[in-house]
Amino acid sequence: SSTVSLEFTANDKDFTTFGNTFQYVKSMQITSSIPTFGAVSGGTQVTVYGYNFEDRESLKCKFGTVEVDATYLASTSITCDAPAGVVGTVDVELSMNGGVDYTVSSNVKFDFVPDITVSTISPESGPSTGGTSVTVSGTNFIFSKDLKCRFGSSDVSATFVSASSIVCISPPTTVSSVEVSISNNGLDFVKAASAFSFNNAPAVTSVSPSKGSVSGGTVVTLTGSGFTDISSNKCLFGSASVAATYVSPTTVTCDSPASSTPTTSSTVSLEFTANDKDFTTFGNTFQYVKSMQITSSIPTFGAVSGGTQVTVYGYNFEDRESLKCKFGTVEVDATYLASTSITCDAPAGVVGTVDVELSMNGGVDYTVSSNVKFDFVPDITVSTISPESGPSTGGTSVTVSGTNFIFSKDLKCRFGSSDVSATFVSASSIVCISPPTTVSSVEVSISNNGLDFVKAASAFSFNNAPAVTSVSPSKGSVSGGTVVTLTGSGFTDISSNKCLFGSASVAATYVSPTTVTCDSPASSTPTTSSTVSLE
């Protein structure tokens, strides 16, 4: 570089002598610029590289025909902000003298491209540990090595999918929420309308129930930590994703989808996501089992006081601790017998008919539309039995009086441990025939359904059948009053002892196991002699 004087003459003879000077400097040369493109809205900070740059206030950049001020960095680099432009490619040139002279033929170009627009990010949240695959939708994305997403102050490379879609992986962070911005060139960022929230990664410690019908619809409760109340919560049953309902920071629920193998039982993984991208990996499982079906139950009715042992029949029953029966709206525990039968004790109820249903998962899912019913009926009361004794050979017709007897094929009397069918007379009276036995006395109980027995206050006594070997005297006045002694065996001292003269019954007086006495009644034919049977 050199400086020379610069004067003026009007006649090529007389030159001014004002001491003006002119400095010759080495020509600037441009070799490259970064970035090589920017948005048509302008403002891209472009760094221009080359040599022979000098620190002057008169530095200028020119993009096509538009000049902008430039800032000196070093003899090999300056920066300038690209102006607004139109889509297309322009030359980039520099001037060190305020735009009078520009570098030429540098072959350094700058492309004006359409501005990015960002419409959505999905998901809008992820764990603070990072790693969430975030899809950004918008327009004018460019396949570029400098395509980036910015989460707060952290830039991450983006994967180009199309001009309207890119994917970025969220970085780890300690903050709860950040703005998300997108850049085609790594410098010009356009902000998304939605922020991205970071939360503690959800953890699932248990699922209940862990089994449900292949038809789906089981309400499964997931217990753990880190749950948040957001619309993107989901459960993943195997490969089937369903919405999750937030309950609390430690609880969410999901309705199981139908199994992909509805004809067989199967076990699938069960995981949770808050953003439909990042799923837990705690190894929880859910077992699909074939739906239970009920076909019948025995008995079909029982007392309102409850306690009736009901056997329920059907198919696809499984031996699980979580088996339940439901009578109407009341749940009770059930006991597995076989794949076609279980038992449960009916609860207390009110008079009326209820549905009977079964659950294999603790009452979460119940069989439906089985049309198996259970009738709650009033409790039996027993007031008297008559007679209260009979021969040990059985055959005594015993009338039982009480309330709420039902005309039923299972109406029974129980003498000790022997059950006999009862004949229905009315709701307050039934008749039973005593069975033979070897014991002397038994409790008597009554049942409408053959299972629920109500005990009578009085016991029934059995004795050896009385035998009469002789009567003395064997004759007496037609006016009656003869004391007749019956001699034999098997007599007992009970108030119901009687003698039957023909068809006339009179009280008998117990004397000993071998003797009773009776006063003969008046004859039914007092004007003539007659002979009658005496028993």
Side-chain angles (χ1 to χ4, degrees):
S1 298
S2 61
T3 301
V4 298
S5 61
L6 175 55
E7 300 294 348
F8 174 77
T9 180
N11 57 14
D12 203 24
K13 293 289 185 178
D14 304 304
F15 287 86
T16 59
T17 58
F18 289 97
N20 297 297
T21 62
F22 181 82
Q23 184 180 15
Y24 285 100
V25 295
K26 290 184 288 186
S27 297
M28 291 189 296
Q29 296 294 323
I30 303 175
T31 57
S32 63
S33 66
I34 294 176
T36 60
F37 65 92
V40 293
S41 58
T44 302
Q45 187 180 67
V46 181
T47 301
V48 182
Y49 297 94
Y51 51 91
N52 296 333
F53 300 164
E54 293 190 7
D55 188 6
R56 299 178 182 277
E57 293 182 1
S58 55
L59 281 172
K60 296 281 184 181
C61 289
K62 185 166 67 172
F63 291 80
T65 60
V66 182
E67 289 182 343
V68 294
D69 292 333
T71 300
Y72 178 83
L73 297 178
S75 63
T76 57
S77 60
I78 65 100
T79 64
C80 46
D81 291 343
V86 295
V87 174
T89 303
V90 297
D91 292 316
V92 178
E93 301 297 345
L94 293 183
S95 171
M96 62 182 168
N97 56 12
V100 176
D101 297 318
Y102 275 94
T103 56
V104 292
S105 303
S106 67
N107 290 320
V108 174
K109 308 292 184 181
F110 185 83
D111 291 321
F112 283 102
V113 296
D115 283 70
I116 288 173
T117 65
V118 181
S119 53
T120 61
I121 60 172
S122 178
E124 294 181 357
S125 65
S128 57
T129 52
T132 302
S133 179
V134 180
T135 298
V136 182
S137 300
T139 61
N140 302 324
F141 300 137
I142 293 175
F143 181 72
S144 159
K145 67 181 179 63
D146 296 312
L147 183 63
K148 294 186 184 297
C149 293
R150 176 171 287 168
F151 290 80
S153 59
S154 298
D155 291 355
V156 295
S157 295
T159 299
F160 179 83
V161 178
S162 69
S164 60
S165 179
I166 63 172
V167 175
C168 302
I169 305 300
S170 65
T173 186
T174 58
V175 299
S176 61
S177 181
V178 295
E179 292 181 344
V180 178
S181 302
I182 312 301
S183 175
N184 277 326
N185 60 15
L187 290 174
D188 303 320
F189 283 85
V190 176
K191 186 171 70 174
S194 301
F196 187 85
S197 300
F198 289 96
N199 44 57
N200 293 329
V204 179
T205 55
S206 66
V207 297
S208 180
S210 59
K211 301 173 179 67
S213 170
V214 292
S215 58
T218 301
V219 179
V220 182
T221 299
L222 282 68
T223 303
S225 61
F227 301 134
T228 53
D229 188 8
I230 52 179
S231 61
S232 54
N233 286 336
K234 291 188 178 180
C235 292
L236 187 67
F237 290 77
S239 60
S241 176
V242 296
T245 300
Y246 174 83
V247 178
S248 73
T250 58
T251 308
V252 294
T253 62
C254 305
D255 291 348
S256 66
S259 171
S260 59
T261 57
T263 59
T264 60
S265 297
S266 63
T267 300
V268 298
S269 60
L270 174 52
E271 302 295 348
F272 173 80
T273 179
N275 58 17
D276 207 21
K277 295 283 186 179
D278 305 304
F279 285 87
T280 57
T281 56
F282 290 94
N284 298 294
T285 59
F286 183 81
Q287 184 178 12
Y288 284 103
V289 295
K290 290 185 287 186
S291 299
M292 293 192 295
Q293 298 294 325
I294 302 176
T295 55
S296 62
S297 65
I298 294 176
T300 59
F301 65 92
V304 293
S305 57
T308 302
Q309 186 180 69
V310 180
T311 301
V312 182
Y313 298 93
Y315 51 92
N316 295 335
F317 300 164
E318 294 191 6
D319 188 5
R320 302 181 184 280
E321 292 182 2
S322 52
L323 280 173
K324 296 278 185 183
C325 290
K326 185 166 66 172
F327 291 78
T329 60
V330 182
E331 289 182 342
V332 294
D333 291 333
T335 300
Y336 177 84
L337 298 177
S339 62
T340 56
S341 59
I342 64 100
T343 65
C344 42
D345 292 343
V350 295
V351 173
T353 303
V354 297
D355 292 315
V356 178
E357 301 297 346
L358 292 184
S359 172
M360 61 184 162
N361 56 12
V364 177
D365 299 316
Y366 274 93
T367 54
V368 292
S369 302
S370 68
N371 291 319
V372 174
K373 309 290 184 181
F374 186 83
D375 290 322
F376 283 102
V377 298
D379 284 71
I380 287 174
T381 66
V382 181
S383 52
T384 63
I385 59 172
S386 179
E388 295 182 357
S389 65
S392 59
T393 53
T396 302
S397 179
V398 180
T399 297
V400 182
S401 299
T403 61
N404 301 323
F405 300 138
I406 292 175
F407 180 72
S408 159
K409 66 181 179 63
D410 296 310
L411 182 64
K412 293 184 184 298
C413 292
R414 176 171 289 169
F415 290 80
S417 60
S418 298
D419 292 354
V420 296
S421 295
T423 300
F424 180 82
V425 178
S426 70
S428 59
S429 178
I430 61 173
V431 174
C432 300
I433 305 300
S434 66
T437 186
T438 59
V439 299
S440 61
S441 179
V442 295
E443 291 182 344
V444 177
S445 301
I446 311 302
S447 174
N448 276 326
N449 60 13
L451 289 174
D452 303 320
F453 283 85
V454 176
K455 188 171 66 175
S458 301
F460 187 84
S461 299
F462 289 96
N463 44 60
N464 293 328
V468 178
T469 56
S470 65
V471 296
S472 178
S474 60
K475 299 178 178 65
S477 170
V478 294
S479 59
T482 303
V483 177
V484 180
T485 299
L486 282 68
T487 302
S489 62
F491 302 136
T492 54
D493 187 10
I494 54 177
S495 61
S496 56
N497 287 335
K498 290 188 179 181
C499 292
L500 186 65
F501 289 78
S503 60
S505 174
V506 296
T509 301
Y510 174 81
V511 177
S512 72
T514 60
T515 306
V516 295
T517 62
C518 303
D519 290 349
S520 66
S523 172
S524 60
T525 57
T527 59
T528 61
S529 295
S530 63
T531 301
V532 296
S533 62
L534 173 55
E535 301 294 344

